[in-house]
Amino acid sequence: MEINSINAAVLAKMFLNGAKNLEAKKEWINELNVFPVPDGDTGTNMSMTILSAAREVSVLEEPDMASIAKAISSGSLRGARGNSGVILSQLFRGFTKVIGKEQEITVPVLAAAFQKAVETAYKAVMKPKEGTILTVARGAADRAAEMAEETDDLVCFLDEVIKEAQRVLKKTPEMLPVLKQAGVVDSGGQGLVVILQGTFDALLGKEIDTTIEAGPSAQVRKITKETEAEIRFGYCTEFIIVLNHPLAEKEERNYKSFLESIGDSIVVVADDEIVKTHVHTNDPGLAIQEALTHGALSRIKIDNMREEHQERLIKDAQKVAAQQAADAAVQAADEAAQQELEYKEIGFIAVSAGDGLSEVFRGLGADYMIEGGQTMNPSTEDILNAVGKVPADHIFVLPNNKNIILAANQAAALSEEKQVHVIPTKTIPQGITALINFIPEQTAEENESRMLDEIQNVKTGQVTYAVRDTVIDDKEIRQDDYMGIGDQTILAVGRDLDEVTLQMAESMIDDDSAIVSIYYGEEVEEEAANAIAEKILAGHEDLEVEVQYGGQPIYYYLVSVE
């Protein structure tokens, strides 16, 4: 099969197929999150980003290259969520700058588009990190440039480009030690490979259903036999092989081929001593038997995905119903609040998860709250819409999460009528500190400078639980352990929530510390939070310790030290 050009109709199908392929595998990509927290979201963020663009493409009646390029670029830029989603949108932005000028796509055009995509994405990230989606994209672009010199056949061209992307993806654990320690490849890079595979399948005629829902995917399907049939392989099987001897390249290749013959969603990460294996299969025993020929097994984990799928659908239905009611209430409250706002020079938008935390921000002068945070990153368009609702010339945006900063910066770049200042707050406590240090009598620029300085003095710790076994920074973590996560690393791990929280707080306190603030989540009683505060005071009588209700989900405690 040889194909030398792609028209607009074929390109649209390829893009939609790539989006649907990512949507179908987003949960698997979420599981590749390095930190074993219950809110791994790379797959979700990338999927929601590309689906935003896919919806724009799907409504085009007679698309040409220019209209497809505009739909992909605009839809992904506005729908971008999280760092991975923003980077993906920038890849699309660069890609469409090239294809939008063409009538049809050939190998030279596609090679140039890949190159422009990488250039655009690298420029959008202040400090690009290798071993990520950027590295995988660059590897694909470099191979595309080489193949453009060797063939005019798009099938051969794309096949080689995807193989190179997979090869680079496999190497990401060697580029980022944290990936190797966790036994995973980069989740963003895996998402990009999944998209490329979906587009290639469409080019070959192996299309999945490319119907794109008209609105956000907040609908829940009924649990039926047909739904269960969507899961082709029923058992998620994971284990580590402690090797008898290092695998030769041929042995590793044969091992992967065997796994491919019995399942899918295969991840194999090998070094000289161990092999981390993940496979979805209908017969876990076959995978285990084959693995035993290479060594002893440890950390075996087998989950029935069909049962989990049913339970998740039920929970999703309940969650969606509750969320819709909450959203309606929040929207009504926001609309009422907007009517009372008077025009001013400087306004504030804060991202927050938890009614208590939102109340803290409102009390400090935030004009508009965006519900979101670690569990659901707001999109660029969410932030732009919020900017439009605040009656001020200068709008300060407090992302309060490192995974939202890029989306906020993208919103600032897209804002045309108002000057948007993004204070790169990585945590809720940093956002609170930024607002506390606002001085109305000073200019926006003076306030921005002060806030940027002050947020550097805030240490933040967050306590949640582990969703899987792993090792990070030489700390062995077991599923359901409590974890105290600091600004840079995991500070405490254990089976007792109070002990982990205290240990985390103690590791953050030093001779310069003056104030400790404890925000307790929706699953914590006030008495428990006060007890922790008293224990901190007992060892540090010179500290001021504050306890406030945060109401945040998933994270039992947020603790700040200043």
Side-chain angles (χ1 to χ4, degrees), residues 419-446:
Q419 182 68 43
V420 177
H421 306 258
V422 177
I423 305 299
T425 51
K426 297 179 180 179
T427 64
I428 289 287
Q430 283 190 348
I432 291 172
T433 295
L435 265 178
I436 289 174
N437 283 277
F438 171 64
I439 299 177
E441 293 77 19
Q442 295 192 346
T443 66
E445 290 71 22
E446 290 171 331

Side-chain angles (χ1 to χ4, degrees), residues 71-138:
I72 293 174
S73 180
S74 176
S76 61
L77 284 172
R78 291 179 173 273
R81 295 174 187 266
N83 293 343
S84 55
V86 172
I87 293 172
L88 181 63
S89 73
Q90 290 295 325
L91 287 169
F92 288 148
R93 182 185 179 199
F95 184 86
T96 55
K97 283 181 180 179
V98 174
I99 67 165
K101 300 175 182 178
E102 305 294 333
Q103 297 300 314
E104 62 178 15
I105 294 177
T106 59
V107 165
V109 170
L110 203 51
F114 274 120
Q115 192 62 47
K116 190 65 174 178
V118 171
E119 290 175 4
T120 304
Y122 266 89
K123 288 179 182 177
V125 180
M126 186 173 296
K127 295 180 180 179
K129 184 181 293 185
E130 297 306 327
T132 65
I133 182 176
L134 290 171
T135 311
V136 176
R138 189 178 64 193

Side-chain angles (χ1 to χ4, degrees), residues 356-371:
L357 294 173
S358 295
E359 199 58 39
V360 170
F361 279 110
R362 289 191 183 97
L364 292 172
D367 299 288
Y368 192 93
M369 302 303 304
I370 299 177
E371 292 295 323

Side-chain angles (χ1 to χ4, degrees), residues 514-518 529 532-534 536-537 540 543-547:
I515 301 174
V516 176
S517 299
I518 301 172
I532 289 175
E534 290 173 3
I536 293 174
L537 275 173
H540 306 276
L543 284 179
E544 180 180 344
V545 181
E546 302 175 345
V547 175

